């Protein structure tokens, strides 16, 4: 029993460091891919710039969460859990669509068309937020990887309490 107790903080640190690195790289990748698309925009509207700002903030948040976990700050687990919750669900209904992924998405979902179509989706750092457009799309998706990371963060949070700054 004492052997498990000695290994728990080290295991928690290793797992939280891996999740932190994942969030850091996912945020940097998403920000890089997104910024690369900006020059291709022709006469972007104010709402497009608002969407760009929102994407930059979310990817910046993922980067901050990654740094926080690597530095083992007290707020790191809470911030990282919020980051994963923001990535856990995607939807599109009645002209409103939302999808945010900083890293990888292993998603299962339903497209509501004339008949329901179940889909398995894989994607790399992506962002979509639209309001009042694409009125014909209707879908709901769950990012299984984000849910797994939420579980792992919750599990390692308690084990790492003594090592946080």
């Amino acid at each position: 029993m004492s052997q498990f107790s000695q290994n728990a903080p080290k295991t928690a640190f290793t797992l939280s460091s891996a999740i932190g690195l994942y969030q850091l790289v996912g945020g940097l990748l998403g920000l890089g891919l997104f910024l690369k698309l900006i020059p291709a925009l022709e006469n972007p509207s104010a709402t497009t710039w608002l969407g760009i700002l929102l994407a930059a903030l979310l990817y910046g948040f993922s980067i901050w969460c990654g740094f926080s976990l690597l530095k083992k700050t007290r707020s790191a687990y809470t911030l990282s859990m919020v980051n994963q919750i923001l990535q856990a669900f995607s939807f599109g209904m009645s002209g409103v669509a939302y999808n945010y992924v900083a890293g990888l998405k292993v998603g299962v979902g339903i497209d509501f068309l004339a008949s329901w179509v179940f889909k398995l989706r894989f994607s790399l750092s992506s962002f979509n937020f639209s309001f009042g457009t694409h009125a014909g799309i209707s879908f709901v998706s769950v990012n299984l990887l984000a849910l797994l990371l939420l579980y792992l963060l919750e599990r390692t949070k308690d084990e790492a309490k003594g090592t946080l700054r």
Side-chain angles (χ1 to χ4, degrees):
M1 184 83 167
S2 64
Q3 182 181 7
F4 177 74
S5 298
Q6 291 172 341
N7 291 336
K10 187 173 183 177
T11 303
F13 174 74
T14 302
L15 187 54
S16 66
S17 294
I19 295 171
L21 188 60
Y22 167 78
Q23 290 183 119
L24 178 67
V25 170
L28 288 171
L29 180 65
L31 193 59
L33 290 172
F34 201 72
L35 291 175
K36 188 177 176 182
L37 295 176
I38 291 176
L41 295 174
E42 304 242 351
N43 295 329
S45 66
T47 55
T48 301
W49 284 114
L50 185 62
I52 290 169
L53 177 63
L54 181 60
L57 288 172
L58 287 171
Y59 288 128
F61 181 62
S62 183
I63 293 166
W64 178 259
C65 292
F67 273 127
S68 295
L69 270 180
L70 291 171
K71 290 168 67 175
K72 299 190 293 184
T73 64
R74 289 200 187 278
S75 61
Y77 285 91
T78 303
L79 292 173
S80 292
M81 291 172 94
V82 167
N83 187 35
Q84 294 309 312
I85 288 169
L86 289 170
Q87 297 178 63
F89 303 100
S90 301
F91 65 90
M93 290 183 191
S94 302
V96 177
Y98 170 79
N99 177 53
Y100 161 58
V101 179
L104 298 172
K105 178 178 186 176
V106 179
V108 293
I110 303 170
D111 279 349
F112 305 105
L113 302 169
S115 62
W116 291 17
V117 177
F118 293 91
K119 294 194 173 184
L120 177 64
R121 296 185 176 155
F122 298 95
S123 69
L124 187 62
S125 289
S126 59
F127 177 80
N128 177 25
F129 179 76
S130 58
F131 186 79
T133 59
H134 307 296
I137 63 169
S138 287
F139 70 91
V140 175
S141 179
V142 176
N143 184 349
L144 299 176
L145 183 57
L147 292 179
L148 174 65
L149 290 175
L150 274 167
Y151 167 75
L152 293 173
L153 283 164
E154 183 62 36
R155 188 171 156 218
T156 58
K157 179 174 120 178
D158 294 333
E159 295 172 359
K161 277 187 181 174
T163 62
L164 298 176
R165 296 181 197 162

